[in-house]
Amino acid sequence: MSSRSRLWRVAELPTTRAGVERAFSYFIAGVRIGTLAQMIPAVHAGVTTSPHGIAYAVCWAAAALASVAVSVATLVRRRPLGAAVSALDYTLACLLLLLGPLVLVPGERFGTWVAYQPGYALSVIITAGGVRSVALWAGGMFGIAACYLVYLGGAFSGEMISTAVGNILTFVVYALVARMFFGYTRRIAHDADTSRARAAELARREEERRAQVMMHNGVAVMRMLTEPGTDAARSRLLDLAEVEVQRMRSYLRGRPPDRDGDGSDTALAAIIERACERFADLPVETLLDLGAGVRLSAGDAEAVERALDSLLLNVRAHARADGVVVHLDQGPDGGWTLTVRDDGVGFDPAAVTPGVGLREVVVGELRRRGLDVDVESAVDSGTTVTISCHARSAACGDHDAVRDAA
């Protein structure tokens, strides 16, 4: 189906402000053409019975032409009429009501489409509810109601007073309902557009955060490779760089970095050993026996490994530590705690803003996965980072709890 033909299918219109305005144009055209269709069968009788047949025909033709013109204009514009054209539309409806007593016999002013003027005026009131000027909308509504009183004149008996009052109230009520319909629908469209823009911005920020998380360690390794060092140190950096290159390639190829849904899990102790081997140049001591039974899902394992790499990179680049202790412990309730402590230069958390590595790769990413992260440091007293998981949490490897929650 062509894009042009899709424009005429309301169900396929976008739920945006532009789409809503387009739907309004369909609504306006439908009301105006529908009113014209009701006027057509009675035109011959109106010309025949009118005391001024030619004048009746001219007035009827003006109403018909205006209905067609408004319908075409709104469909072409893809939105309701502007203030200037709406003012002309109101004016014509008022003029037709004022001329009605001249072209109609008194007995035909109620309950017949020969007297098309009130029905035409009602269609104008309904479709002009989309005009943005409140003053124009209110003035047009009350103007039509006043002209309708002139249209009635003294041509109805006391028994018809209730009908006349009911018709005037119909003008007012339909005007209010139409105004509410146009206004509320526009508000929904505006909120939808705002929500989409907000979602797009949040998605952009999240993608930016993911890029920072995925690229940070690799960039840090590449920066170290540009610095002077021994061949042995550069060889160890190259091994670490290869790991980070693989991660960045996976990210750039569009593969989600965290594959939580593959059903596999990994021993946390093995992950820690693998990460520490890449930093063999550091004085790292691993104490993992107490947490040998801890297992993590693939996604959690990858996040913890990235975080540990980032922590050890910080130690290598900044800490000037004589010793690093990595300790893993599992409690009797299934929870576990991973502690990374160095005796380096440390820093003052109150005076130093954490970098991307500590803020996003370690604290931000792990907390998003339900892990607790605590950073303690002091100048000349080293740094301790504690990563912990409470029992009965998905990150603690309690898959039964996850299934129960589902």
Side-chain angles (χ1 to χ4, degrees):
M1 179 180 293
S2 67
S3 60
R4 181 176 296 274
S5 63
R6 283 197 298 269
L7 290 176
W8 296 93
R9 298 185 62 176
V10 178
E12 296 183 5
L13 287 175
T15 55
T16 61
R17 280 181 288 185
V20 164
E21 296 298 318
R22 181 67 174 173
F24 287 161
S25 72
Y26 295 158
F27 170 76
I28 291 171
V31 171
R32 300 303 286 269
I33 295 301
T35 301
L36 177 59
Q38 291 177 293
M39 291 166 52
I40 289 175
V43 63
H44 177 71
V47 172
T48 302
T49 60
S50 173
H52 303 285
I54 295 177
Y56 179 94
V58 171
C59 291
W60 189 97
L65 181 62
S67 294
V68 173
V70 167
S71 300
V72 172
T74 54
L75 291 174
V76 171
R77 285 164 46 89
R78 302 185 181 183
R79 59 184 184 276
L81 298 175
V85 180
S86 293
L88 292 175
D89 207 21
Y90 276 126
T91 300
L92 177 60
C94 290
L95 184 61
L96 291 175
L97 285 171
L98 294 175
L99 294 176
L102 302 178
V103 297
L104 294 170
V105 295
E108 291 181 340
R109 295 188 196 179
F110 279 106
T112 171
W113 274 100
V114 168
Y116 62 88
Q117 292 88 342
Y120 176 81
L122 182 60
S123 73
V124 172
I125 281 179
I126 293 173
T127 57
V131 70
R132 295 188 181 275
S133 171
V134 177
L136 177 59
W137 165 78
M141 175 186 66
F142 288 114
I144 287 178
C147 290
Y148 183 67
L149 290 175
V150 176
Y151 166 84
L152 294 177
F156 59 94
S157 63
E159 298 177 353
M160 299 300 294
I161 292 178
S162 60
T163 301
V165 173
N167 288 344
I168 293 175
L169 290 177
T170 297
F171 288 149
V172 175
V173 170
Y174 272 77
L176 293 172
V177 170
R179 186 71 180 179
M180 182 181 66
F181 163 71
F182 280 102
Y184 185 67
T185 307
R186 280 174 173 152
R187 179 184 169 189
I188 292 174
H190 175 269
D191 289 349
D193 283 349
T194 301
S195 297
R196 274 188 288 267
R198 178 63 176 164
E201 175 63 17
L202 291 176
R204 184 193 66 77
R205 292 181 183 178
E206 174 61 17
E207 188 60 30
E208 186 178 80
R209 184 196 65 79
R210 283 186 56 210
Q212 288 179 337
V213 169
M214 293 301 299
M215 303 296 182
H216 173 270
N217 290 357
V219 172
V221 172
M222 286 186 284
R223 186 179 66 250
M224 290 179 181
L225 283 170
T226 63
E227 298 173 352
T230 64
D231 290 341
R234 291 180 64 83
S235 176
R236 286 188 289 270
L237 282 173
L238 288 173
D239 293 339
L240 183 57
E242 179 62 28
V243 174
E244 297 302 330
V245 165
Q246 293 299 325
R247 287 176 179 167
M248 287 189 284
R249 282 176 177 170
S250 297
Y251 171 77
L252 294 174
R253 289 170 180 168
R255 179 184 68 80
D258 301 327
R259 295 167 292 177
D260 290 328
D262 58 8
S264 62
D265 56 15
T266 308
L268 179 54
I271 296 168
I272 297 171
E273 289 283 7
R274 185 170 63 199
C276 290
E277 287 174 2
R278 296 195 286 267
F279 294 86
D281 57 311
L282 295 178
V284 179
E285 180 183 3
T286 57
L287 304 173
L288 310 176
D289 293 343
L290 295 178
V294 177
R295 302 188 69 84
L296 302 182
S297 67
D300 292 334
E302 186 173 352
V304 171
E305 186 174 5
R306 273 201 309 266
L308 185 55
D309 282 344
S310 184
L311 291 173
L312 295 177
L313 279 170
N314 281 344
V315 171
R316 175 184 281 163
H318 308 296
R320 299 195 296 274
D322 294 324
V324 182
V325 177
V326 180
H327 180 265
L328 177 63
D329 186 17
Q330 184 177 21
D333 58 356
W336 54 266
T337 301
L338 171 62
T339 304
V340 181
R341 159 126 183 114
D342 70 75
D343 58 2
V345 297
F347 64 93
D348 182 1
V352 177
T353 301
V356 172
L358 188 59
R359 185 182 68 249
E360 290 293 342
V361 181
V362 180
V363 177
E365 187 70 7
L366 295 183
R367 284 181 177 173
R368 287 182 183 89
R369 292 187 161 275
L371 298 173
D372 292 329
V373 183
D374 183 61
V375 180
E376 296 181 1
S377 187
V379 178
D380 297 329
S381 297
T383 302
T384 301
V385 178
T386 303
I387 303 168
S388 58
C389 181
H390 299 298
R392 306 298 296 174
S393 141
C396 294
D398 192 345
H399 302 293
D400 291 336
V402 175
R403 282 194 296 268
D404 293 341

